[in-house]
Amino acid sequence: VRIPRKIDEGLGILLEEIAGGRGDGVGITIVSGLVQGGVSEKSGILEGDSVSKIAIVEHETGEEVAAVGTECFDYDATVDSILSLPAA
C-alpha cells in the first residue's frame, strides 16, 4: 500500500494494541481506523490490518530511502518506529 506524505501531516491511521502489554515491546498492533480526510483514507488500508513495515520511497525513482519494521511490535514500539522515520 502506498500512502502519499504531506508536510506537517501524519499518516492518518489510528492504531490499537490487541496483544502485548508485558513491557517487552512485543505484541500485535492493528489499524483501528483511518482519519477522515487523512492521507491514508483512500490508500487501501483497512480497519483490522496489521502494519508490518513502513518505508519511505523517493517519488521520482521509486527507490526506498528509509524503512522500519513494525511486525509483532506492541503499540509503543510501533509508534516509536514510525516516528523514527525522517519527516516529509
Side-chain angles (χ1 to χ4, degrees):
V1 173
R2 292 191 177 252
I3 301 170
R5 291 182 47 178
K6 295 182 180 178
I7 295 174
D8 295 328
E9 221 178 287
L11 294 174
I13 57 176
L14 305 173
L15 300 172
E16 177 183 0
E17 181 178 84
I18 60 170
R22 297 181 305 270
D24 60 2
V26 177
I28 299 171
T29 301
I30 63 166
V31 175
S32 61
L34 301 173
V35 175
Q36 187 174 7
V39 296
S40 292
E41 189 175 40
K42 296 179 182 173
S43 69
I45 292 177
L46 301 173
E47 189 172 320
D49 283 353
S50 177
V51 180
S52 61
K53 176 182 174 182
I54 295 182
I56 296 176
V57 178
E58 174 62 42
H59 178 72
E60 300 282 325
T61 65
E63 179 182 340
E64 189 175 290
V65 295
V68 292
T70 58
E71 189 169 17
C72 297
F73 284 5
D74 68 7
Y75 178 87
D76 290 336
T78 299
V79 171
D80 288 346
S81 288
I82 294 168
L83 291 175
S84 73
L85 289 167

